[in-house]
Amino acid sequence: KMVYIGNSFTYFNDLPSMLQDLTSGAVETAGSVLKGGQTLKGHSEDPRTESALQDLTFTHLVLQGQSSNPGLLFANDEKLREKGEAVLDVVKGYFAKSVADNALKNTNLQSVVFYSTWGHRGPCVYKTLQKEYPNFKVMVSKIQQSYRVIDIVYDLCKAEGVSDPETDPACLFYRLYAPDAFHPSRLGTYLVACVFYGTLFGKDPRGLQWYPSNELTNFDRKMQ
Protein backbone atom coordinates (compact mmCIF):
# COMPACT_ATOMS: atom_id res chain seq x y z
CA LYS A 1 0.00 0.00 0.00
CA MET A 2 1.41 3.33 -1.12
CA VAL A 3 1.20 6.91 0.09
CA TYR A 4 2.23 9.43 -2.58
CA ILE A 5 3.46 12.92 -1.67
CA GLY A 6 4.12 14.86 -4.86
CA ASN A 7 2.78 17.00 -7.66
CA SER A 8 1.76 16.89 -11.32
CA PHE A 9 4.58 14.48 -12.21
CA THR A 10 2.70 11.93 -10.12
CA TYR A 11 -0.88 12.75 -11.08
CA PHE A 12 -0.22 13.24 -14.84
CA ASN A 13 -1.67 10.11 -16.51
CA ASP A 14 -2.52 8.89 -12.97
CA LEU A 15 0.70 7.07 -12.10
CA PRO A 16 -0.80 5.43 -8.96
CA SER A 17 -3.60 3.82 -10.99
CA MET A 18 -1.22 2.77 -13.75
CA LEU A 19 1.07 1.11 -11.22
CA GLN A 20 -1.92 -0.69 -9.71
CA ASP A 21 -2.96 -1.94 -13.17
CA LEU A 22 0.60 -2.90 -14.04
CA THR A 23 0.85 -5.09 -10.94
CA SER A 24 -2.68 -6.55 -11.25
CA GLY A 25 -3.68 -4.90 -7.98
CA ALA A 26 -0.64 -5.96 -5.95
CA VAL A 27 0.14 -2.26 -5.42
CA GLU A 28 -2.68 -0.21 -3.90
CA THR A 29 -2.97 3.45 -2.98
CA ALA A 30 -3.51 4.08 0.73
CA GLY A 31 -3.42 7.85 0.33
CA SER A 32 -1.95 10.77 -1.58
CA VAL A 33 -1.26 14.48 -1.30
CA LEU A 34 -0.73 15.81 -4.83
CA LYS A 35 -0.63 19.49 -5.81
CA GLY A 36 0.67 20.97 -9.06
CA GLY A 37 4.12 22.56 -8.72
CA GLN A 38 4.37 21.76 -5.02
CA THR A 39 7.78 21.42 -3.36
CA LEU A 40 8.60 19.01 -0.55
CA LYS A 41 8.94 22.04 1.73
CA GLY A 42 5.44 23.10 0.74
CA HIS A 43 4.16 19.61 1.47
CA SER A 44 5.83 19.66 4.89
CA GLU A 45 3.68 22.71 5.75
CA ASP A 46 0.45 21.15 4.46
CA PRO A 47 -1.68 19.56 7.23
CA ARG A 48 -2.88 16.95 4.72
CA THR A 49 0.66 15.58 4.58
CA GLU A 50 0.76 15.05 8.33
CA SER A 51 -2.62 13.36 8.13
CA ALA A 52 -1.45 11.01 5.35
CA LEU A 53 1.67 10.09 7.30
CA GLN A 54 -0.43 9.13 10.31
CA ASP A 55 -1.96 6.25 8.34
CA LEU A 56 -0.73 3.03 9.93
CA THR A 57 -1.54 0.71 7.02
CA PHE A 58 0.75 1.90 4.21
CA THR A 59 3.92 -0.03 3.39
CA HIS A 60 5.75 2.43 1.10
CA LEU A 61 6.00 6.21 1.11
CA VAL A 62 6.77 7.94 -2.21
CA LEU A 63 8.29 11.44 -2.01
CA GLN A 64 8.43 13.48 -5.22
CA GLY A 65 9.55 17.09 -5.18
CA GLN A 66 9.27 19.99 -7.61
CA SER A 67 10.99 19.05 -10.88
CA SER A 68 13.76 21.67 -10.98
CA ASN A 69 14.65 22.24 -7.32
CA PRO A 70 16.77 19.16 -6.43
CA GLY A 71 19.32 19.84 -9.17
CA LEU A 72 19.86 23.37 -7.89
CA LEU A 73 22.03 21.88 -5.17
CA PHE A 74 24.70 21.95 -7.89
CA ALA A 75 23.78 25.39 -9.25
CA ASN A 76 26.46 27.96 -9.98
CA ASP A 77 24.31 30.75 -8.53
CA GLU A 78 24.46 30.85 -4.72
CA LYS A 79 20.82 31.92 -4.24
CA LEU A 80 19.60 29.13 -6.49
CA ARG A 81 21.87 26.69 -4.67
CA GLU A 82 20.01 27.54 -1.45
CA LYS A 83 16.80 26.17 -3.04
CA GLY A 84 18.57 22.88 -3.66
CA GLU A 85 19.86 22.80 -0.11
CA ALA A 86 16.30 23.42 1.15
CA VAL A 87 15.23 20.12 -0.44
CA LEU A 88 17.84 18.26 1.59
CA ASP A 89 16.93 20.16 4.74
CA VAL A 90 13.22 19.26 4.58
CA VAL A 91 13.97 15.62 3.78
CA LYS A 92 16.49 15.32 6.62
CA GLY A 93 14.28 17.29 8.98
CA TYR A 94 10.53 17.03 8.63
CA PHE A 95 10.20 13.85 6.56
CA ALA A 96 12.94 11.89 8.34
CA LYS A 97 11.37 12.71 11.71
CA SER A 98 7.81 12.01 10.52
CA VAL A 99 8.77 8.67 9.01
CA ALA A 100 10.73 7.72 12.13
CA ASP A 101 7.72 8.59 14.32
CA ASN A 102 5.42 6.63 12.03
CA ALA A 103 7.74 3.60 12.02
CA LEU A 104 7.39 3.34 15.80
CA LYS A 105 3.65 2.77 15.35
CA ASN A 106 3.39 1.36 11.81
CA THR A 107 4.94 -2.09 11.68
CA ASN A 108 3.86 -2.34 8.02
CA LEU A 109 6.19 0.41 6.81
CA GLN A 110 8.90 -1.10 4.60
CA SER A 111 10.58 1.76 2.75
CA VAL A 112 10.61 5.35 1.56
CA VAL A 113 10.94 5.73 -2.22
CA PHE A 114 12.34 8.96 -3.64
CA TYR A 115 10.75 9.56 -7.04
CA SER A 116 13.39 11.49 -8.97
CA THR A 117 12.02 13.27 -12.02
CA TRP A 118 13.96 14.05 -15.19
CA GLY A 119 15.37 16.87 -17.25
CA HIS A 120 12.96 18.89 -19.37
CA ARG A 121 13.03 18.13 -23.07
CA GLY A 122 15.39 20.77 -24.43
CA PRO A 123 16.12 23.87 -22.30
CA CYS A 124 14.40 24.15 -18.92
CA VAL A 125 10.83 25.42 -19.39
CA TYR A 126 11.43 27.99 -16.65
CA LYS A 127 13.31 30.82 -18.35
CA THR A 128 14.98 31.99 -15.13
CA LEU A 129 16.68 28.59 -14.83
CA GLN A 130 17.78 28.09 -18.43
CA LYS A 131 21.31 29.23 -17.61
CA GLU A 132 21.60 26.45 -15.04
CA TYR A 133 19.65 23.94 -17.15
CA PRO A 134 20.46 24.70 -20.81
CA ASN A 135 19.46 21.23 -22.03
CA PHE A 136 18.18 17.83 -20.96
CA LYS A 137 21.61 16.31 -20.34
CA VAL A 138 22.75 19.03 -17.95
CA MET A 139 19.45 19.13 -16.08
CA VAL A 140 19.07 15.39 -15.58
CA SER A 141 22.66 15.02 -14.34
CA LYS A 142 22.17 17.82 -11.84
CA ILE A 143 18.79 16.56 -10.60
CA GLN A 144 20.23 13.28 -9.43
CA GLN A 145 23.11 11.12 -10.53
CA SER A 146 21.32 7.96 -9.51
CA TYR A 147 18.42 8.57 -11.87
CA ARG A 148 19.85 7.08 -15.07
CA VAL A 149 16.94 5.42 -16.81
CA ILE A 150 15.82 8.38 -18.94
CA ASP A 151 19.43 9.29 -19.69
CA ILE A 152 20.07 5.75 -20.97
CA VAL A 153 17.00 5.98 -23.22
CA TYR A 154 18.33 9.28 -24.56
CA ASP A 155 21.64 7.63 -25.42
CA LEU A 156 19.81 4.72 -27.07
CA CYS A 157 18.07 7.22 -29.32
CA LYS A 158 21.42 8.75 -30.23
CA ALA A 159 22.70 5.26 -31.04
CA GLU A 160 19.69 4.74 -33.35
CA GLY A 161 20.95 7.60 -35.47
CA VAL A 162 18.42 10.26 -34.52
CA SER A 163 20.02 13.61 -35.23
CA ASP A 164 18.44 15.44 -32.28
CA PRO A 165 16.32 13.47 -29.79
CA GLU A 166 15.11 16.69 -28.17
CA THR A 167 13.34 17.97 -31.30
CA ASP A 168 12.53 14.89 -33.43
CA PRO A 169 8.88 13.77 -32.85
CA ALA A 170 9.65 10.34 -34.32
CA CYS A 171 12.22 9.65 -31.62
CA LEU A 172 11.47 7.47 -28.60
CA PHE A 173 12.98 10.07 -26.27
CA TYR A 174 10.65 12.76 -27.66
CA ARG A 175 7.62 10.49 -27.18
CA LEU A 176 8.30 10.24 -23.42
CA TYR A 177 7.14 13.85 -22.98
CA ALA A 178 3.75 15.54 -23.01
CA PRO A 179 3.38 18.52 -25.40
CA ASP A 180 4.55 20.90 -22.65
CA ALA A 181 8.05 19.33 -22.93
CA PHE A 182 8.50 18.53 -19.23
CA HIS A 183 5.58 16.44 -17.93
CA PRO A 184 5.48 12.78 -18.99
CA SER A 185 3.37 11.43 -21.81
CA ARG A 186 1.35 8.27 -21.09
CA LEU A 187 4.34 6.31 -22.42
CA GLY A 188 6.64 8.26 -20.09
CA THR A 189 4.42 7.46 -17.11
CA TYR A 190 4.53 3.79 -18.13
CA LEU A 191 8.34 3.95 -17.96
CA VAL A 192 8.08 5.42 -14.45
CA ALA A 193 5.64 2.66 -13.44
CA CYS A 194 8.09 0.01 -14.71
CA VAL A 195 10.87 1.62 -12.64
CA PHE A 196 8.62 1.56 -9.57
CA TYR A 197 7.80 -2.09 -10.23
CA GLY A 198 11.50 -3.01 -10.32
CA THR A 199 12.20 -0.90 -7.21
CA LEU A 200 9.34 -2.27 -5.10
CA PHE A 201 9.54 -5.93 -6.07
CA GLY A 202 13.19 -6.34 -7.09
CA LYS A 203 12.00 -7.96 -10.31
CA ASP A 204 12.64 -7.39 -14.00
CA PRO A 205 9.60 -5.65 -15.59
CA ARG A 206 10.26 -7.23 -18.99
CA GLY A 207 7.43 -9.52 -19.94
CA LEU A 208 4.74 -7.80 -17.84
CA GLN A 209 1.35 -8.29 -19.42
CA TRP A 210 -0.11 -4.83 -18.81
CA TYR A 211 0.83 -1.90 -21.06
CA PRO A 212 -0.69 1.49 -21.86
CA SER A 213 -1.36 0.92 -25.57
CA ASN A 214 -4.19 -1.22 -26.91
CA GLU A 215 -1.57 -3.72 -27.99
CA LEU A 216 2.06 -4.24 -27.13
CA THR A 217 4.16 -1.93 -29.30
CA ASN A 218 7.87 -1.66 -29.83
CA PHE A 219 7.82 1.48 -27.67
CA ASP A 220 6.07 -0.32 -24.77
CA ARG A 221 8.58 -3.15 -24.96
CA LYS A 222 11.48 -0.69 -24.77
CA MET A 223 9.98 0.85 -21.62
CA GLN A 224 10.00 -2.60 -19.97
Side-chain angles (χ1 to χ4, degrees), residues 69-223:
N69 278 5
L72 295 178
L73 183 63
F74 304 100
N76 297 313
D77 184 282
E78 184 176 352
K79 289 185 177 180
L80 291 177
R81 196 157 57 243
E82 289 175 357
K83 289 186 176 182
E85 292 169 351
V87 176
L88 292 181
D89 289 343
V90 74
V91 169
K92 291 187 294 183
Y94 174 80
F95 284 105
K97 182 180 184 302
S98 295
V99 170
D101 290 345
N102 178 283
L104 293 175
K105 310 170 189 175
N106 182 6
T107 57
N108 296 309
L109 182 61
Q110 296 178 25
S111 68
V112 176
V113 179
F114 289 94
Y115 171 13
S116 300
T117 55
W118 43 85
H120 299 170
R121 193 191 72 223
C124 179
V125 299
Y126 306 119
K127 290 185 178 180
T128 56
L129 297 179
Q130 287 183 355
K131 186 176 180 180
E132 294 292 343
Y133 299 139
N135 54 52
F136 167 82
K137 279 281 193 177
V138 171
M139 187 170 184
V140 78
S141 66
K142 284 187 175 182
I143 286 174
Q144 200 163 26
Q145 292 298 320
S146 62
Y147 192 83
R148 291 298 186 187
V149 177
I150 301 290
D151 208 5
I152 290 171
V153 172
Y154 181 95
D155 287 335
L156 285 173
C157 293
K158 282 283 190 180
E160 290 173 357
V162 177
S163 58
D164 190 349
E166 296 178 3
T167 59
D168 187 348
C171 175
L172 171 59
F173 174 82
Y174 191 98
R175 290 171 181 261
L176 297 176
Y177 289 85
D180 62 15
F182 70 109
H183 284 110
S185 64
R186 187 163 170 79
L187 187 68
T189 300
Y190 183 57
L191 172 59
V192 175
C194 286
V195 173
F196 267 92
Y197 175 84
T199 300
L200 295 173
F201 295 100
K203 296 180 179 179
D204 192 328
R206 286 176 291 186
L208 286 171
Q209 298 302 303
W210 190 91
Y211 33 87
S213 306
N214 291 328
E215 59 183 28
L216 182 63
T217 68
N218 189 41
F219 291 126
D220 296 327
R221 187 175 290 106
K222 285 187 176 182
M223 294 306 95

